[in-house]
Amino acid sequence: MAERTAASTPLPPPTLRLRVDTEALAGNWRAMDALSGSAATGAAIKADCYGLGVDTCLPVLRDAGAAGFFVAHWSEVPGALAYVPGEKIAVLHGPLHDADCSFARATGAVPVINSLEQARRWTSSGGGPCHLMVDTGINRLGIAPGEAGDPSIAALEVDVLMSHLASADEDSDRNAQQSRRFAEIAQSLPHKRTSLANSAGIALDEGFHHDLTRPGLSLYGGIARAELGSRIRQVAFPQAAILQTRQLGTGDAVGYNGEFVAPSPTPTAIVSLGYADGFLRGWGGAYLIHEGRKLPLLGKVSMDMVVVDLSAAPELAEGDWLDLPYYLPDAARLSGLSQYEALTVLGRRFRR
């Protein structure tokens, strides 16, 4: 008899699952596109589409009409190439090595040039279309404004001249300052298109839209500014299964260090969810949900398990599913994470 292997044996049902509402995803892109006015609207797909899966999300964004796609790492290009041509993929970290330039030429992916060194490296490898990031006040990647006149920059064939807003999620004077600096630099640098606005920047006003907008968080259900609250729908719906139920007696302690001690007899459920799945200990004191009923977490979040109070749903049993509160503004408030973190930390054990 042939030996059975894991590769040929179907996986059992999961105890963690993540539903991605693709209709909401497409609707969120359309909402950001409408807000972008006359500008074309792209899509940030870095970090595996903010943790929700390139294979699931990229075809939806492509079919909705996204004008281009932005990743951070060169290693993210192959996953995107399965659905869109290389010339539609921009790599934000740029060419750090000669091998990056060779990879760009082989795949058609477009580097975002961030420094004089990267500009020289790209040109010496043969040049060609690229994008250029200029720093206007966030002090991360990008050439300094004073470097705009360097010969290595003049030698570039710049398609999109871009910058990144530092405080678009706030009503800050820095937004207008960055916008003015960007406009000034754009007058002195040859380019075909300009791009400044992320999700929050799109919600500011049309002066930030330029030729191409780059929404990210709001595509996946994040509310980058209050003005977007009525337009953006939840996309990520994680669930975890109950592994076991048990009855606590008065005085019984739960989990590591016994942080919770039952004040009275309490029905509980042990749930297949922990910090290894991105449900970090900052969630302690929050709750899971079953059909609208909140089930408080008891004690510390463990690596693979949490314990919840079943007093509001005593009929639940092994195998029943509980919802994580993942409307992202709520998730951020409950966990202490940013909305970005709450999305991107979701672990690979969630069956997508």
Side-chain angles (χ1 to χ4, degrees):
M1 180 181 294
E3 183 180 352
R4 295 177 64 85
T5 66
S8 62
T9 305
L11 282 173
T15 57
L16 285 168
R17 63 190 184 190
L18 174 63
R19 179 174 69 86
V20 176
D21 186 336
T22 55
E23 290 187 7
L25 175 64
N28 289 346
W29 183 88
R30 287 192 291 268
M32 301 309 289
D33 184 49
L35 281 174
S36 296
S38 62
T41 306
I45 59 165
K46 58 187 180 178
D48 199 27
C49 285
Y50 286 49
L52 301 188
V54 161
D55 293 330
T56 299
C57 298
L58 179 48
V60 174
L61 295 167
R62 176 200 62 200
D63 294 346
F69 303 91
F70 297 86
V71 299
H73 293 260
W74 293 98
S75 61
E76 297 175 300
V77 170
L81 281 173
Y83 304 102
V84 295
E87 59 266 23
K88 288 185 174 291
I89 304 167
V91 183
L92 294 165
H93 285 185
L96 187 62
H97 306 286
D98 291 342
D100 299 333
C101 298
S102 298
F103 186 80
R105 298 188 189 291
T107 61
V110 183
V112 177
I113 304 301
N114 295 294
S115 67
L116 300 184
E117 290 79 7
Q118 288 191 358
R120 297 180 188 116
R121 182 174 298 114
W122 180 244
T123 300
S124 66
S125 72
C130 64
H131 306 317
L132 177 64
M133 178 72 72
V134 59
D135 175 59
T136 55
I138 196 170
N139 285 299
R140 299 192 317 186
L141 291 176
I143 66 167
E147 296 174 325
D150 191 274
S152 63
I153 301 300
L156 295 174
E157 185 182 336
V158 178
D159 179 2
V160 180
L161 177 66
M162 64 179 68
S163 191
H164 194 76
L165 294 166
S167 303
D169 58 345
E170 302 174 331
D171 293 324
S172 170
D173 292 340
R174 287 189 290 270
N175 296 322
Q177 292 169 0
Q178 284 192 259
S179 182
R180 286 193 298 270
R181 289 172 186 163
F182 186 58
E184 291 169 0
I185 293 165
Q187 292 178 357
S188 64
L189 280 173
H191 60 274
K192 294 181 180 179
R193 299 178 289 167
T194 52
S195 178
L196 179 62
N198 55 4
S199 294
I202 293 170
L204 289 174
D205 65 56
E206 63 181 13
F208 291 86
H209 295 165
H210 291 269
D211 300 310
L212 173 68
T213 62
R214 313 189 306 268
L217 178 68
S218 289
L219 300 178
Y220 308 105
I223 309 300
R225 286 183 62 92
E227 298 93 326
L228 298 173
S230 63
R231 299 172 180 263
I232 299 303
R233 295 162 55 191
Q234 183 176 346
V235 173
F237 292 85
Q239 293 182 311
I242 293 174
L243 298 172
Q244 182 182 356
T245 61
R246 65 188 311 130
Q247 181 78 24
L248 295 181
T250 301
D252 284 347
V254 171
Y256 290 120
N257 308 116
E259 281 196 356
F260 174 82
V261 178
S264 59
T266 305
T268 65
I270 295 83
V271 183
S272 177
L273 176 70
Y275 56 76
D277 306 302
F279 195 78
L280 306 181
R281 283 192 166 177
W283 283 94
Y287 53 82
L288 301 183
I289 303 169
H290 185 268
E291 296 181 349
R293 296 172 290 182
K294 295 180 180 179
L295 310 178
L297 270 71
L298 306 178
K300 289 183 176 180
V301 176
S302 299
M303 182 180 291
D304 312 299
M305 290 172 282
V306 295
V307 179
V308 298
D309 185 339
L310 281 188
S311 296
E315 78 283 3
L316 294 182
E318 292 179 12
D320 286 335
W321 289 94
L322 304 182
D323 298 309
L324 281 63
Y326 247 70
Y327 174 65
L328 287 174
D330 289 345
R333 177 177 54 82
L334 291 168
S335 67
L337 301 171
S338 71
Q339 295 180 60
Y340 299 86
E341 292 169 310
L343 272 182
T344 58
V345 298
L346 286 172
R348 298 307 307 169
R349 295 193 294 196
F350 280 93
R351 188 83 60 85
R352 286 155 169 82

